[in-house]
Amino acid sequence: MRVEGKGRIDRGAPLRFTFDGHTHTGFEGDTLASALMADGVRLMGRSFKYHRPRGVTTAGSEEPNALVTIGSGARQDPNIRATTQELYDGLEARSQNRWPSLGFDVMGINDLAAPFLGAGFYYKTFMWPKAFWEKLYEPVIRRAAGIGALSGEAPGDKHEKAFAFCDVLVIGGGAAGLMAALAAARSGAQVILCEEDRACGGRLLAEVEEVDGQPGADWAAALEQQLRDMENVRVMTRCSVTGAYDQGTYGALERVAHHVGDPKGAPVECFWRIHAKRAVLCAGALERPIAFRDNDRPGVMMAGAMRAYLNRWGVVPGKALAVFGNNDNAHRTARDLQEAGVHVAALIDSRADAPNLAGDVPYYAGAQVSRAFGRQGLEAIQIRLPNGKVERLQVQGLGVSGGWNPSVHLSCHMNTRPVWDDGIAAFVPGKDAVPGMSVAGAARGRFSTAACLQDGAEAGQVAASALGFVAEVPQVPEAEDAPYRLRRLWTVPGKGRAWLDFQNDVTVKDVTQAAQENFRSVEHMKRYTTQGMAPDQGKNSNIGALAVLADATGRDIPETGTTTYRPPFVPVSIAAIGAGAEGKGYAPERFTTSHDASVSAKAPMIEAGLWYRPSYVPRDGEKTWRQSCDREVAMVREHVGICDVSTLGKIELQGPDVGQFLDFIYVNGFSSLKPGKVRYGLMLREDGTVMDDGTCARLDDNTWLMTTTTAAAGQVMTHLDWAQQAFCNKLQMRFVSATEQWAQFAVAGPKSRDLLNALLDAPIDDASLPYMGCVSVTVGGIAARLFRISFSGEHAYEIAVPARYGASLFDHLVALAEERGGGAYGMEALNVLRIEKGFVTHAEINGTATAFDLGYGRMISPKKDCIGKVMAARPGLVGEGRQQLVGLRPVSAIKEMPAGAHLFDDGAEPVRENDQGYVTSTCFSPTLGEVRALALVRNGRARHGEVLRLVDHLRGVDMRCEVTDPVAFDPEGGRLRG
Amino acid sequence: MRLTCPNCGERDIREFTYQGAASMLDRPDPEAGPEAWHAYLHLRDNPAGVTRDLWHHGCGCGAWLVVTRDTVTHAVHAVELVEARDAG
Amino acid sequence: MVELKAKSALGGQSAVQIGAVRLQEVEGSKLSAIAPFAGVDAKLSEAMELAYGFGFPEPGQVLQKGQARCVWFGHRQALLIAATPDETLAELALITDQSDAWCSVSAVGAAAEDVLARLCPVDLHLRAFPVGHTARCPLGHINVSLTRVAADGFEIMAFRSMAASLWHEVTAAAELVAARAALP
């Protein structure tokens, strides 16, 4: 219910929203949690395991209970904390993990079965039969125990990622953070201030206290505005820093548009990678509960949260309220409630000697709350008095404070453990836990506002000064400096279940049972009980659970240690982390200059790395890809075909020492290559296996052009960079990628020269351009390069023009080819043509094949060193035991020889032990009228003519084939020169 | 993780590719014998502490780098150009 | 005689204004890669000084005289723009035509820096990346050369074959930035 005159909400701006279909009204400035509380809704969710009724516990991102689903369909967002969801008009929220309704949840039966469902229940029970786990137990348990669900539709909202840089990153915009940012900003440093909430202020937004003679929230708002007005400051609100990483890298989730109904194309979230030279962690502190029987009833919440709901949003969970704590800070809640005119039924302090700081409220010193009553909402509490007697008190809300835990999380992300501070009975960040990061304010246990302001101001000054900025500690305004005075109390002893971890339904008994069963390590206890898992990652429960474990194992807390704090600090959607990498952002597309022409010709495009190439170019009447492919192969063999080969890597090398460099890169000699000539080259990795192959042309004395396969273009460039920078950096030569500069097309077939002579400004003949030659030519006055090389075994050329002319040249080439009975051909035909000729690609250059294996062993020049040469001669990389390149032709009724099929001696069992090799490439050869394949076969070169058994277990093929020479067509190579 | 490329300045890890131990720079003589080549190609230390390895700034300037760093603290002590070495 | 028609990388894509950034293909300049041979960097710089009035750029540097510019383009590499390669340089460096190898897009406007901050993991603040500064860096998954040509303007160069992806990345980021600016 609302409390008149309280809260920083705009009562003139009502907002309508629904929760489980019921319409409610809140105000601008409300969160979903505060608006529901205002309407008397205490029950907001069901617990994970026992489906216990749960209500709001906190007023921040650490909320374990009030998780709801916002929106539906493509915009469905599960597990949103009602405590951080800003209200907007038209918001639709639904409770989770209940059926059929939040009020009546069938799975609540689990709660009655609780005596059997304690820690380790699943591990012990669902052991047998083994097969049941995946099929039955897990699906059933998952359905019963769960939180919100995704809709299954692709996300309808946009997400974004971004990069930011600063000198000083301030994490948290409370009293300490604001002063740290101010101190750093005034020095001229670039400052980013990240605040999780919609506005800066932190606890100042939730407290009745003055800073510099004005309400704390007003002071914070004014300072936030002052910072926003500074050119060197970026204030990022609604932005949680989620992780600290190496070298000053921080992740941050900005909720850009979760506070509006329709983002209108804006990203709902942006995941920031922030690089900061220095950071100041001012993440504040989180209040911790005290465990007592049924302390999870809706209406039981943190004392500080109850105070925040009253002071910031003007709401309380009921007419009569009580406060239970072990420290002075808890008294503030009773005081603020009482001063606001709310009925405070009791202030209970476990410390017998603590004076009442709350004014005129019933005060129980030395007492404890030992039980809560009411199922779907708190109805009463039981107070155990110092004399042992109990008293029952009717209340609808109870604020609990077991003290405050500094938010040390980010300080632990680089693997440093926090250290125990006995004075505040809590962990504080270790010294220099994250390089470049300091910690200030409540995050390191400085709890009063005055201490936070001072600490932040000093930390900001130190951070900026460390970077060489002239920074001063700004004047620190006057503020509250009350002592905290805590006497530790973790649990109230007694019967029944006292809850530690609300999110994962872990009780005091579960933790002690874990200890009894020898899960004494805190990490083991966590896994066994699930305490500290799930979205809140134990923000509320970790210290309490540790204390219980420490007690049960007879150790103190620092000795027991903490579990590991890992990023992210708050849950981050995969959509935000992966933003930009969905759809076409996943990988860039590389298009050749002939791409549009191929697409217009209805050619199916296939990916080759990032490139897109035509699979085949169909003609009218062709119903299958094979018909097109066979026709294209015949076209090249009989007439002339055109294929875009621009995707092959082209590397231009210049300088007097290029020959020497290439001798080191290729196995064969290149320094002897004459200008105007092209040579086939093979390069190895240093371990002796083949890296890539291709041709290299010497265009003139000084200029060479290497080509690589499409697949290995990037790898070869990196390899050349390595060889040059590591071993050849004194050579007078350099190289640069020319792949993108030139559009290059294969013109292949008996009519290729005839075609070119119709295209070129001056004709060519065998004398001016013999096989493996290269010349400069012009096409319509445009300088072009012409190479007489062939990947089809036919008389063929490759012609290259500057890429801007590529599309135009392709059109001319195809038209000229079609006039001669030919046309464009695609990857399928290209593959058939090369298999018929026994030319290798990366199907054969498979990362284990050596030059010897591929039949190129004799190419390795004995006269010079080259990369991979020593290892290529190593025992084991040459000899009979190696799988060597061969051809295969079918000899059985079954003709199919699928790539990937394995080969066995004829009559041998097709099992791994008998493996003789495998099929690397296969095709139907229209030229030869039968299926042909290439394979790597043990000692294959000595086995030509032998019949092998070919088995493909995957496709169910079992046939017999004959080993042949890899070159199936025109072995003499007469057509190349013809 | 961030590396300070001698050409480009401090850059995010996504721009670099790890390329193995810096001992790959100490290429044996072709006649050094199989043991030396085996050690060069296959034998690696795996120190908890300072290590020197090769990185390629492929999404930046294209330089190969020798990075001296600590596998325990993640501190990066030095980033040098491979080319700055005195090699052939 | 056949006539070859030229087509730009983005093939006539018209300029677009998205929120506070204007995106446009930049066309037509002569581009030449220059990479000095070993040990002749100083000599090359002298020769370039004579030929163009500027030397070989330091990493991150753009040198300019009149229309001619030289942009640092990678490890011991530069791109000579709008200038004819001088014959005197050939003994000292690799020089080769790259006019068709790159697609160039300009992003100009108050939001240009914000848009690129969605794509490039480098500090684009004017103080860290002033006018005349250049970098090789990723833009999404595309490797680019990024140069600041004005306080509110950048020129982005990517492989010609990736022109469509470059345009897609930049326009998509610009649309998010524009829509965010319109939020309450």
Side-chain angles (χ1 to χ4, degrees):
Chain A
M1 50 187 256
R2 292 280 179 196
V3 180
E4 280 312 307
K6 294 292 283 184
R8 303 176 66 81
I9 47 171
D10 183 356
R11 291 178 197 241
L15 303 170
R16 285 162 60 86
F17 68 102
T18 64
F19 181 59
D20 281 342
H22 297 284
T23 301
H24 299 269
T25 305
F27 297 110
E28 172 60 35
D30 262 326
T31 63
L32 176 60
S34 69
L36 285 172
M37 193 185 290
D39 264 9
V41 177
R42 287 188 297 176
L43 175 60
M44 294 190 199
R46 288 273 174 174
S47 71
F48 185 72
K49 185 169 159 189
Y50 299 120
H51 292 246
R52 302 257 298 183
R54 292 283 165 81
V56 70
T57 308
T58 71
S61 65
E62 72 276 23
E63 174 61 29
N65 284 340
L67 304 189
V68 298
T69 298
I70 306 288
S72 56
R75 299 199 57 210
Q76 178 163 321
D77 225 345
N79 307 327
I80 299 297
R81 291 161 295 282
T83 49
T84 57
Q85 175 61 53
E86 294 174 38
L87 203 64
Y88 55 80
D89 203 52
L91 181 144
E92 288 175 25
R94 280 171 294 143
S95 58
Q96 303 179 159
N97 201 31
R98 81 289 185 270
W99 185 85
S101 74
L102 187 57
F104 175 72
D105 177 8
V106 168
M107 291 306 290
I109 192 81
N110 275 6
D111 197 30
L112 300 177
F116 311 104
L117 289 175
F121 169 74
Y122 298 116
Y123 301 132
K124 292 169 188 164
T125 310
F126 297 109
M127 297 282 288
W128 183 91
K130 204 176 160 195
F132 274 33
W133 178 251
E134 267 186 33
K135 289 200 175 73
L136 179 67
Y137 297 145
E138 192 182 340
V140 169
I141 292 167
R142 286 218 182 275
R143 204 172 313 134
I147 39 180
L150 295 166
S151 70
E153 291 179 38
D157 284 324
K158 296 236 165 61
H159 293 76
E160 189 181 47
K161 73 160 180 264
F163 303 93
F165 297 80
C166 62
D167 296 313
V168 179
L169 169 67
V170 179
I171 303 163
L178 284 166
M179 289 307 289
L182 182 68
R186 281 187 177 163
S187 75
Q190 293 289 324
V191 175
I192 292 177
L193 171 59
C194 287
E195 166 53 48
E196 200 172 44
D197 211 330
R198 64 188 295 177
C200 289
R203 279 305 297 180
L204 292 176
L205 303 179
E207 302 286 356
V208 178
E209 63 178 69
E210 292 199 338
V211 176
D212 209 15
Q214 54 181 321
D218 293 347
W219 174 85
L223 185 46
E224 180 184 336
Q225 192 55 50
Q226 185 188 334
L227 290 166
R228 282 184 189 275
D229 291 341
M230 293 175 80
E231 176 275 330
N232 57 325
V233 181
R234 182 195 294 206
V235 178
M236 298 171 70
T237 44
R238 299 184 175 112
C239 185
S240 311
V241 177
T242 56
Y245 306 89
D246 286 320
Q247 277 84 39
T249 303
Y250 296 86
L253 179 72
E254 182 190 12
R255 286 169 300 280
V256 182
H258 279 307
H259 61 291
V260 295
D262 181 3
K264 297 200 170 81
V268 289
E269 289 171 353
C270 179
F271 192 73
W272 290 86
R273 276 87 169 166
I274 300 174
H275 176 66
K277 296 192 180 85
R278 284 286 185 284
V280 186
L281 178 63
C282 305
L286 298 173
E287 203 166 16
R288 61 198 186 199
I290 299 168
F292 55 88
R293 185 175 182 179
D294 294 333
N295 58 327
D296 64 331
R297 294 306 185 200
V300 181
M301 62 183 66
M302 297 298 108
M306 185 178 272
R307 204 154 72 237
Y309 284 108
L310 171 73
N311 293 327
R312 183 169 173 187
W313 294 288
V315 295
V316 287
K319 282 202 170 74
L321 307 174
V323 178
F324 170 37
N326 65 350
N327 63 80
D328 280 6
N329 190 266
H331 290 225
R332 286 180 167 214
T333 304
R335 180 200 68 192
D336 291 356
L337 288 167
Q338 194 270 131
E339 284 175 3
V342 181
H343 174 51
V344 179
L347 168 61
I348 304 115
D349 194 319
S350 57
R351 300 168 300 167
D353 54 351
N356 176 14
L357 306 172
D360 186 18
V361 298
Y363 183 52
Y364 297 75
Q368 296 174 342
V369 174
S370 52
R371 189 172 178 185
F373 299 95
R375 182 156 176 83
Q376 300 213 338
L378 183 67
E379 288 162 13
I381 54 171
Q382 175 179 281
I383 304 171
R384 185 181 297 143
L385 302 172
N387 60 13
K389 290 190 175 158
V390 296
E391 208 172 276
R392 187 175 163 128
L393 213 57
Q394 303 292 322
V395 292
Q396 295 85 48
L398 174 69
V400 181
S401 178
W404 292 76
N405 295 322
S407 290
V408 300
H409 305 69
L410 266 79
S411 77
C412 304
H413 284 178
M414 306 256 312
N415 216 16
T416 304
R417 301 278 165 157
V419 294
W420 182 254
D421 181 335
D422 222 38
I424 57 171
F427 284 101
V428 294
K431 201 167 161 42
D432 301 325
V434 172
M437 181 203 270
S438 60
V439 188
R444 66 176 190 128
R446 304 287 197 275
F447 287 151
S448 80
T449 305
C452 284
L453 293 167
Q454 182 69 37
D455 208 29
E458 288 171 11
Q461 186 269 340
V462 169
S465 299
L467 297 171
F469 292 94
V470 180
E472 288 172 10
V473 178
Q475 198 187 344
V476 174
E478 257 185 59
E480 164 278 329
D481 198 16
Y484 169 47
R485 283 197 293 250
L486 166 132
R487 193 169 305 142
R488 60 189 78 180
L489 174 68
W490 309 108
T491 65
V492 176
K495 283 188 192 168
R497 284 178 292 167
W499 301 85
L500 288 166
D501 186 333
F502 299 119
Q503 192 141 59
N504 270 318
D505 276 347
V506 179
T507 64
V508 172
K509 195 180 139 210
D510 290 324
V511 175
T512 51
Q513 185 194 332
Q516 279 161 16
E517 296 185 13
N518 214 26
F519 293 96
R520 294 160 56 89
S521 148
V522 62
E523 298 283 6
H524 289 159
M525 179 277 285
K526 171 175 174 166
R527 270 84 191 165
Y528 195 55
T529 63
T530 72
Q531 180 277 320
M533 297 188 180
D536 81 330
Q537 287 287 293
K539 287 196 183 71
N540 306 280
S541 61
N542 275 348
I543 308 302
L546 267 184
V548 173
L549 181 68
D551 189 46
T553 54
R555 296 172 294 183
D556 61 13
I557 292 175
E559 191 191 345
T560 307
T562 64
T563 51
T564 310
Y565 294 83
R566 293 189 180 88
F569 177 69
V570 291
V572 182
S573 65
I574 298 293
I577 291 178
E582 68 282 279
K584 292 205 179 238
Y586 181 69
E589 296 166 314
R590 297 182 80 175
F591 295 133
T592 62
T593 56
S594 65
H595 185 81
D596 290 349
S598 295
V599 171
S600 301
K602 298 190 170 59
M605 303 303 285
I606 53 167
E607 291 176 40
L610 298 177
W611 290 100
Y612 287 78
R613 305 184 77 182
S615 183
Y616 54 93
V617 188
R619 288 201 178 158
D620 288 347
E622 291 171 351
K623 292 191 175 61
T624 67
W625 71 270
R626 262 289 304 284
Q627 288 175 332
S628 303
C629 176
D630 289 359
R631 189 250 311 147
E632 287 171 15
V633 170
M635 216 167 66
V636 173
R637 294 266 179 250
E638 290 161 25
H639 307 288
V640 60
I642 306 297
C643 182
D644 194 328
V645 292
S646 308
T647 60
L648 274 75
K650 296 181 277 294
I651 298 166
E652 188 162 321
L653 307 95
Q654 291 181 9
D657 294 338
V658 171
Q660 200 183 328
F661 180 66
L662 292 177
D663 281 347
F664 184 57
I665 296 297
Y666 284 120
V667 299
N668 44 336
F670 269 82
S671 43
S672 58
L673 188 68
K674 299 275 183 291
K677 292 292 179 191
V678 185
R679 187 170 284 172
Y680 175 77
L682 193 71
M683 59 179 80
L684 308 181
R685 308 191 310 213
E686 195 69 275
D687 65 7
T689 56
V690 178
M691 173 182 280
D692 199 37
D693 70 342
T695 59
C696 188
R698 187 168 189 177
L699 303 178
D700 58 47
D701 249 3
N702 196 49
T703 309
W704 308 59
L705 187 75
M706 172 190 288
T707 64
T708 75
T709 59
T710 302
Q715 185 193 359
V716 169
M717 192 68 187
T718 302
H719 178 67
L720 295 191
D721 277 339
W722 160 249
Q724 196 259 329
Q725 293 174 29
F727 305 124
C728 304
N729 60 30
K730 298 288 190 289
L731 294 185
Q732 296 296 299
M733 56 78 58
R734 293 296 300 279
F735 51 85
V736 68
S737 170
T739 309
E740 298 277 340
Q741 171 65 18
W742 300 92
Q744 190 155 321
F745 305 97
V747 181
K751 297 177 186 167
S752 55
R753 185 158 58 203
D754 176 54
L755 183 155
L756 286 169
N757 281 337
L759 177 84
L760 301 174
D761 297 346
I764 50 161
D765 56 26
D766 250 337
S768 63
L769 187 55
Y771 177 57
M772 294 305 261
C774 62
V775 288
S776 293
V777 294
T778 58
V779 181
I782 305 299
R785 291 168 173 176
L786 186 62
F787 309 86
R788 185 160 167 195
I789 51 180
S790 175
F791 195 52
S792 58
E794 294 301 320
H795 180 162
Y797 301 83
E798 290 187 11
I799 183 166
V801 291
R804 74 185 67 182
Y805 301 112
S808 179
L809 177 61
F810 183 75
D811 290 344
H812 283 295
L813 288 170
V814 171
L816 289 168
E818 284 174 353
E819 285 169 18
R820 287 161 178 77
Y825 65 100
M827 290 305 98
E828 295 295 350
L830 180 137
N831 197 39
V832 172
L833 291 162
R834 70 97 191 168
I835 292 172
E836 289 175 345
K837 287 296 297 176
F839 294 144
V840 297
T841 65
H842 280 269
E844 287 74 33
I845 303 174
N846 61 6
T848 63
T850 63
F852 172 86
D853 299 341
L854 299 179
Y856 299 145
R858 279 192 298 272
M859 274 177 72
I860 302 178
S861 166
K863 293 184 211 149
K864 62 176 187 71
D865 183 25
C866 73
I867 290 179
K869 181 179 173 181
V870 171
M871 279 304 178
R874 201 187 100 181
L877 290 192
V878 288
E880 288 181 4
R882 298 293 300 176
Q883 295 190 349
Q884 302 161 5
L885 184 71
V886 297
L888 299 176
R889 55 184 296 263
V891 293
S892 60
I894 299 168
K895 304 298 181 196
E896 199 187 351
M897 300 191 289
H902 277 255
L903 295 155
F904 305 91
D905 288 342
D906 199 16
E909 272 289 291
V911 292
R912 183 177 53 79
E913 290 78 0
N914 295 333
D915 187 34
Q916 295 298 305
Y918 76 102
V919 179
T920 55
S921 305
T922 192
C923 71
F924 175 78
S925 163
T927 316
L928 302 168
E930 64 179 4
V931 174
R932 287 294 185 138
L934 296 176
L936 289 164
V937 173
R938 177 185 282 259
N939 200 26
R941 278 195 291 277
R943 298 170 76 172
H944 291 184
E946 193 178 318
V947 170
L948 295 178
R949 182 176 179 185
L950 180 152
V951 178
D952 185 335
H953 291 293
L954 204 64
R955 297 176 186 84
V957 175
D958 190 345
M959 57 86 73
R960 295 165 76 241
C961 58
E962 181 193 332
V963 178
T964 68
D965 189 87
V967 186
F969 177 67
D970 187 29
E972 300 78 24
R975 301 176 70 90
L976 282 171
R977 292 169 180 83
Chain B
M1 181 173 164
R2 297 175 71 81
L3 294 174
T4 302
C5 170
N7 287 324
C8 304
E10 198 185 278
R11 293 294 183 89
D12 189 271
I13 188 69
R14 73 189 60 215
E15 299 186 16
F16 303 88
T17 312
Y18 175 78
Q19 296 279 5
S23 61
M24 280 306 283
L25 287 164
D26 308 320
R27 191 171 184 267
D29 186 271
E31 307 301 326
E35 284 307 313
W37 276 92
H38 169 59
Y40 171 64
L41 277 167
H42 306 130
L43 302 185
R44 293 290 179 269
D45 293 329
N46 183 21
V50 174
T51 170
R52 275 162 56 82
D53 33 50
L54 297 168
W55 293 73
H56 181 231
H57 197 189
C59 297
C61 63
W64 279 74
L65 307 169
V66 178
V67 176
T68 309
R69 66 192 175 95
D70 192 305
T71 58
V72 176
T73 65
H74 295 194
V76 176
H77 299 305
V79 184
E80 300 151 286
L81 291 172
V82 157
E83 196 167 51
R85 288 168 71 253
D86 195 32
Chain C
M1 192 162 107
V2 299
E3 190 197 342
L4 295 183
K5 292 194 192 72
K7 192 175 169 185
S8 78
L10 278 163
Q13 169 69 52
S14 48
V16 294
Q17 179 79 35
I18 302 172
V21 67
R22 184 176 170 81
L23 303 168
Q24 186 166 12
E25 183 178 12
V26 182
E27 276 187 78
S29 290
K30 168 92 178 163
L31 309 176
S32 310
I34 302 190
F37 299 148
V40 296
D41 299 50
K43 275 193 204 162
L44 176 68
S45 248
E46 282 168 32
M48 286 177 68
E49 194 75 52
L50 278 175
Y52 308 114
F54 49 69
F56 190 83
E58 295 291 319
Q61 214 178 21
V62 179
L63 301 173
Q64 180 155 18
K65 185 148 190 201
Q67 285 299 303
R69 278 186 288 159
C70 195
V71 177
W72 178 82
F73 215 58
H75 179 60
R76 301 189 66 232
Q77 256 193 62
L79 195 69
L80 186 62
I81 301 179
T84 312
D86 193 88
E87 283 175 14
T88 60
L89 308 181
E91 287 178 11
L92 302 168
L94 168 145
I95 299 188
T96 189
D97 190 11
Q98 295 261 293
S99 306
D100 293 52
W102 298 90
C103 164
S104 185
V105 169
S106 71
V108 178
E113 199 178 300
D114 268 353
V115 170
L116 290 173
R118 267 69 195 160
L119 299 165
C120 301
V122 292
D123 189 354
L124 299 171
H125 192 281
L126 198 53
R127 238 168 31 173
F129 206 112
V131 176
H133 189 79
T134 190
R136 291 301 302 265
C137 67
L139 181 148
H141 295 292
I142 304 170
N143 288 348
V144 299
S145 153
L146 183 65
T147 302
R148 188 170 213 129
V149 293
D152 68 345
F154 294 87
E155 200 166 306
I156 312 154
M157 294 176 78
F159 280 166
R160 178 193 183 96
S161 66
M162 296 191 186
S165 287
L166 173 67
W167 188 257
H168 169 80
E169 290 283 313
V170 180
T171 51
E175 274 156 17
L176 290 183
V177 169
R180 173 202 274 256
L183 280 176

